Amino acid sequence: ELGVETGLLECLGHARRDLTLYGLDRNPEALTKCERLAAREGVEDIHWIQADLFDVESWIQTLPDTIPGVIYTIHLHEFMASGRENLVKLVQKLVQKLPNWRFVAIEQPRLEKEARELISPARWLYSHSNILIHHLIKNGRILSEGEWIEIFRDGGAAHIEVRPTGYLEYQAYVIHLGKGAGAL
């Protein structure tokens, strides 16, 4: 998991003890906190990695590159604070270094005007409050589905799937990192 304070990694570790799990964050306090929470859940075999996400060479060798794996995050919009170019370079490096892996980004994309008639007013407002919040605090950018797909394509992703999550218009962008990879 990229950005560890979601609680998802601990839940996954509790439910799937057969998996080898890694949590990457640049904040040592976040890693320590999550390690304690995982231990309370009886999950003690998560590999915690303190590194800057965009300094891929500092952490990528920790992951096995010869077997399939999944990198996931719900923070991609926050990583946009580093700029589009850095995100494209990140995808390029993942494509190059982890050809057997998938990258899953769970995001609530910025909705186009046409969507306003298709969803409830409350859901429309929720979506746009997410955009406003990130604009005001300047820690990320909410992109449209097309903008996300363009970043993944510019990064060299072989295949991109967009799957609805069934929750507040959030989508799972499943990026197949290997060249010529097909759908899951």
Side-chain angles (χ1 to χ4, degrees), residues 32-179:
T32 300
K33 175 184 169 188
C34 292
E35 185 174 12
R36 278 193 225 118
L37 291 171
R40 276 192 244 153
E41 292 291 323
V43 179
E44 303 212 9
D45 55 353
I46 297 173
H47 304 270
W48 303 102
I49 305 168
Q50 181 189 351
D52 182 334
L53 169 67
F54 296 104
D55 184 10
V56 175
E57 300 303 325
S58 72
W59 58 267
I60 197 85
Q61 74 280 357
T62 308
L63 306 177
D65 61 353
T66 57
I67 60 172
V70 174
I71 293 176
Y72 72 91
T73 187
I74 64 169
H75 298 296
L76 205 57
H77 62 279
E78 292 175 6
F79 302 148
M80 276 296 296
S82 297
R84 183 187 189 285
E85 184 179 323
N86 283 334
L87 211 50
V88 169
K89 286 179 183 177
L90 173 67
V91 174
Q92 288 172 338
K93 288 178 183 177
L94 294 177
V95 165
Q96 178 187 36
K97 303 283 187 176
L98 298 173
N100 297 309
W101 285 55
R102 305 289 185 263
F103 177 42
V104 178
I106 301 169
E107 286 292 326
Q108 182 191 45
R110 190 187 73 235
L111 298 176
E112 303 298 337
K113 292 177 187 173
E114 300 79 29
R116 188 172 189 166
E117 302 302 319
L118 302 174
I119 63 175
S120 73
R123 288 169 76 172
W124 176 262
L125 292 172
Y126 174 83
S127 171
H128 283 275
S129 69
N130 197 23
I131 295 166
L132 179 60
I133 288 166
H134 286 86
H135 172 75
L136 292 173
I137 62 177
K138 297 180 181 4
N139 79 332
R141 271 188 59 215
I142 308 298
L143 303 180
S144 69
E145 178 180 313
E147 289 171 312
W148 283 123
I149 290 172
E150 187 178 283
I151 285 173
F152 303 137
R153 283 195 180 129
D154 289 352
H159 182 78
I160 305 158
E161 293 178 59
V162 181
R163 299 179 184 176
T165 66
Y167 178 74
L168 295 174
E169 283 64 60
Y170 279 82
Q171 297 174 327
Y173 296 88
V174 181
I175 298 95
H176 303 249
L177 298 174
K179 297 290 181 199

